[in-house]
Amino acid sequence: MMQERAVLAGGCFWGMQDLIRKRAGVLSTRVGYSGGDVPNATYQNHGTHAEAIEILFDPGIVTYRQILELFFQIHDPTTPMRQGNDRGASYRSAIYFENQDQHQEAINTIKDVDASGLWPDKVVTEVEPVGDFWVAEPEHQNYLQRNPNGYTCHFPRADWVLPSRDP
């Protein structure tokens, strides 16, 4: 079995993890903090890090592009420093790429999202090289599995299918 890694930030990590972990081909997920300035980040002290999710997936079952399409479907990538009621840098939209192929796929997918008109405004998702990923505390892992009525601002949007731009 092959395995790849994706690190994404799209607002509160609870909802992101709950939806992405259910996708066929996703092997595991962990929530944590990425893209910031504080070593050994924690919920109480994560500086400029975003709440993020680390996804290990089998590219023979689900592609990086398909992971990104789900990511753009379940959160609003057009709101800077915000997701739902959550505001601030912790809740920004970001893709932290592992390699040049992921970087190019992120750029192409953003162009496709912008061209699609599925969102009323342009995407503000940051695209940056992956750095440290600080795993969140145990109480944040699989939070919505343990607390099914807990807070989330993420949801699948009915009939949301991202077309590719014409070459």
Side-chain angles (χ1 to χ4, degrees), residues 7 35 94-98 103 126-131:
V7 177
I95 298 169
Y96 301 107
F97 60 88
E98 291 268 311
H103 180 242
E126 299 173 4
V127 178
E128 301 289 336
V130 71

Side-chain angles (χ1 to χ4, degrees), residues 102-160:
Q102 284 189 356
H103 180 242
Q104 191 58 54
E105 194 65 66
I107 297 301
N108 289 339
T109 305
I110 289 170
K111 287 179 180 177
D112 289 344
V113 172
D114 280 340
S116 74
L118 290 165
W119 289 104
D121 294 314
K122 294 294 183 191
V123 170
V124 297
T125 303
E126 299 173 4
V127 178
E128 301 289 336
V130 71
D132 291 326
F133 179 84
W134 305 102
V135 178
E137 298 79 358
E139 62 267 24
H140 295 292
Q141 304 299 327
N142 300 306
Y143 180 84
L144 290 174
Q145 277 185 291
R146 293 180 289 102
N147 300 282
N149 296 319
Y151 172 78
T152 184
C153 58
H154 297 89
F155 58 92
R157 287 154 173 89
D159 302 321
W160 197 97

Side-chain angles (χ1 to χ4, degrees), residues 34-129:
S34 196
D37 61 350
V38 174
N40 302 306
T42 66
Y43 190 75
Q44 297 301 322
N45 182 26
H46 56 269
T48 61
H49 286 291
E51 289 193 10
I53 177 172
E54 177 188 64
I55 306 153
L56 298 180
F57 64 97
D58 181 342
I61 298 172
V62 62
T63 65
Y64 185 66
R65 166 68 183 223
Q66 290 169 322
I67 297 282
L68 292 179
E69 288 176 5
L70 177 59
F71 170 69
F72 283 114
Q73 181 197 45
I74 64 174
H75 89 291
D76 183 348
T78 67
T79 53
M81 305 300 172
R82 177 179 168 214
Q83 200 60 214
N85 294 326
D86 297 326
R87 296 176 185 271
S90 298
Y91 306 109
R92 68 187 182 272
S93 178
I95 298 169
Y96 301 107
F97 60 88
E98 291 268 311
N99 54 48
Q100 193 55 40
D101 289 340
Q102 284 189 356
H103 180 242
Q104 191 58 54
E105 194 65 66
I107 297 301
N108 289 339
T109 305
I110 289 170
K111 287 179 180 177
D112 289 344
V113 172
D114 280 340
S116 74
L118 290 165
W119 289 104
D121 294 314
K122 294 294 183 191
V123 170
V124 297
T125 303
E126 299 173 4
V127 178
E128 301 289 336

